[in-house]
């Protein structure tokens, strides 16, 4: 087999592997982080250490897996309270909603500090579109 033929076969195999490959752990983490940003929680949390625990299904157009990751607080409970107090006089209704969200966060995570890590495990489902793998849904694994 000539060098040109070998290189062409290798290039084609890489191309085909790229077409059917599942999203990487980095891509899964980026998709989850983008969802946090879309839900206005990107300033509060970041996602780190994403690992695929168990692949459930992988086809050319869909992918699902159980993943684990760390949810990392970017602010402390105290920083959020101070920010809420500073903004309360400017936007009373917004402050009420933010206060309710703060209570919910405290009930869920306690009195958290900046840099605190919360281990999470979720089932993620992706679909492949023209622009690549898109997060279709995710839910906590119990």
């Amino acid at each position: 087999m000539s060098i040109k033929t070998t290189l062409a076969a290798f290039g084609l195999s890489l191309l085909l592997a790229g077409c059917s490959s599942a999203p990487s752990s980095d891509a899964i983490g980026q998709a989850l982080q983008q969802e946090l940003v879309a839900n206005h929680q990107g300033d509060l949390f970041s996602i780190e250490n994403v690992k695929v625990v168990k692949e459930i299904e992988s086809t050319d157009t869909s992918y699902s897996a159980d993943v684990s990751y760390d949810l990392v607080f970017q602010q402390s409970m105290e920083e959020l309270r101070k920010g809420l107090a500073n903004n309360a006089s400017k936007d009373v209704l917004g402050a009420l909603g933010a206060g309710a969200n703060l209570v919910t966060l405290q009930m869920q995570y306690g009195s958290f500090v900046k840099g605190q890590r919360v281990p999470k495990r979720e089932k993620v489902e992706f679909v492949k579109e023209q622009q690549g793998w898109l997060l279709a849904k995710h839910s906590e694994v119990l």
Side-chain angles (χ1 to χ4, degrees):
M1 189 182 278
S2 73
I3 292 177
K4 285 183 183 180
T5 306
T6 303
L7 287 175
F10 180 71
L12 182 59
S13 68
L14 284 178
L15 181 63
L16 291 174
C19 290
S20 62
S21 68
S24 67
S25 292
D26 286 342
I28 292 169
Q30 289 171 356
L32 291 169
Q33 186 69 44
Q34 287 173 353
E35 186 164 289
L36 285 176
V37 170
N39 292 326
H40 308 289
Q41 295 179 327
D43 291 339
L44 180 57
F45 301 112
S46 68
I47 292 178
E48 297 179 6
N49 302 322
V50 178
K51 294 180 181 91
V52 174
V53 176
K54 178 183 173 189
E55 190 173 275
I56 298 169
E57 176 187 8
S58 183
T59 68
D60 288 345
T61 58
S62 67
Y63 177 79
S64 62
D66 285 343
V67 297
S68 65
Y69 61 89
D70 291 333
L71 192 63
V72 183
F73 282 91
Q74 301 302 299
Q75 298 180 48
S76 68
M77 173 65 83
E78 191 58 34
E79 289 171 322
L80 286 173
R81 277 193 191 126
K82 286 179 184 176
L84 180 60
N86 290 339
N87 292 329
S89 62
K90 299 173 194 167
D91 181 9
V92 175
L93 289 177
L96 287 173
N101 288 339
L102 195 58
V103 169
T104 302
L105 283 171
Q106 188 169 17
M107 288 173 59
Q108 190 171 9
Y109 299 110
S111 189
F112 51 87
V113 296
K114 183 176 182 175
Q116 181 175 332
R117 294 175 176 274
V118 177
K120 294 290 219 172
R121 187 155 174 198
E122 292 188 355
K123 178 182 178 187
V124 294
E125 296 180 25
F126 284 80
V127 293
K128 191 158 193 182
E129 301 286 334
Q130 273 186 308
Q131 58 270 44
W133 289 104
L134 298 176
L135 182 62
K137 71 178 189 176
H138 62 96
S139 56
E140 194 166 346
V141 174
L142 301 176

